[in-house]
Amino acid sequence: KIKKKEANILIVGLDNSGKSTVVQYFQTGGKRTEVTVPTIGFKVEKFKNAGLTLTAFDMSGQSKYRSLWERYYSDCHGVIFVIDSSDTIRMAVACNELQLMIQHPEMVKNRSSTAGVPILILANKIDLEMAIPIGQIRAELGLDEIDTHPIHLEASNALTGVGLHAGLQWLSDQII
Ligand code: GTP
């Protein structure tokens, strides 16, 4: 694998899954300085973590913006796909978006390896009582059937940071 100090990471997922909260945690180490508002289009944030300088493209999860994600696929080294574990109603929608993404030609082959772009899936909001157990999320997303990309599923709570460092460390290890 090619050694990279800088990496472009796409942060995607349905609206309200917690993408901006994840980015904010990595930037401030958990000190929540502002109230998150729905992302319009996308935000670009730069931060250092897990030995990488990351440029995070925090893409809006609203459906009218989802086609925008694809414009950033060609220049991305890793993806953080955030899922609201408590959103049982839209789990199938999230699954569909994940499948569309991993099957996209730009995503199938990483320029630095023969495998596809590595994808960290955060099963976020795991603290909520209605959260679907992680094993069930793995099954519903069909993760065991995906052999085109390195994929890792991590349970997270973006409010406290649980799971975020472990998840990002995995992604970083795939890129370096
Ligand atoms: P869009 O910009 O609309 O695409 O949303 P987003 O994915 O960026 O979601 P955002 O980070 O704005 O979070 C949505 C809401 O979920 C906010 O009220 C967050 O405080 C809350 N939230 C995020 N992560 C967690 C979590 O792990 N647990 C709980 N309980 N709430 C969370």
Side-chain angles (χ1 to χ4, degrees):
K1 282 175 194 166
I2 291 169
K3 233 183 164 58
K4 281 195 194 71
K5 286 194 180 100
E6 304 217 358
N8 293 332
I9 302 294
L10 269 187
I11 305 198
V12 297
L14 301 188
D15 51 290
N16 199 47
S17 53
K19 301 176 296 296
S20 300
T21 311
V22 167
V23 171
Q24 189 179 35
Y25 184 87
F26 283 132
Q27 281 201 304
T28 65
K31 284 192 232 62
R32 293 171 56 75
T33 49
E34 51 180 306
V35 179
T36 46
V37 290
T39 318
I40 308 299
F42 73 100
K43 270 187 307 222
V44 183
E45 314 272 9
K46 217 167 183 152
F47 55 90
K48 288 195 162 89
N49 209 296
L52 290 174
T53 299
L54 299 166
T55 304
F57 295 85
D58 175 1
M59 311 299 292
S60 172
Q62 293 175 51
S63 52
K64 63 177 167 179
Y65 292 114
R66 269 180 235 152
S67 61
L68 198 70
W69 298 1
E70 296 184 1
R71 297 198 205 161
Y72 297 87
Y73 287 176
S74 60
D75 198 29
C76 101
H77 307 108
V79 174
I80 301 179
F81 192 96
V82 186
I83 287 176
D84 178 348
S85 305
S86 70
D87 192 351
T88 48
I89 291 165
R90 293 199 299 167
M91 196 54 70
V93 181
C95 179
N96 187 49
E97 292 293 347
L98 176 66
Q99 295 297 332
L100 284 174
M101 186 184 69
I102 64 171
Q103 286 163 23
H104 194 279
E106 297 277 15
M107 281 294 183
V108 175
K109 213 163 197 180
N110 193 335
R111 272 159 284 101
S112 62
S113 87
T114 51
V117 172
I119 297 164
L120 166 67
I121 299 176
L122 293 177
N124 197 38
K125 306 197 188 183
I126 210 73
D127 54 297
L128 295 180
E129 220 172 295
M130 318 85 88
I132 305 171
I134 189 115
Q136 197 179 324
I137 290 176
R138 171 177 292 282
E140 286 195 29
L141 296 179
L143 297 189
D144 291 334
E145 280 92 70
I146 298 171
D147 55 8
T148 46
H149 298 253
I151 290 205
H152 179 79
L153 178 66
E154 188 83 36
S156 72
N157 174 351
L159 298 179
T160 61
V162 167
L164 297 187
H165 284 284
L168 194 64
Q169 188 62 57
W170 175 85
L171 194 61
S172 169
D173 290 345
Q174 303 302 309
I175 293 167
I176 292 175

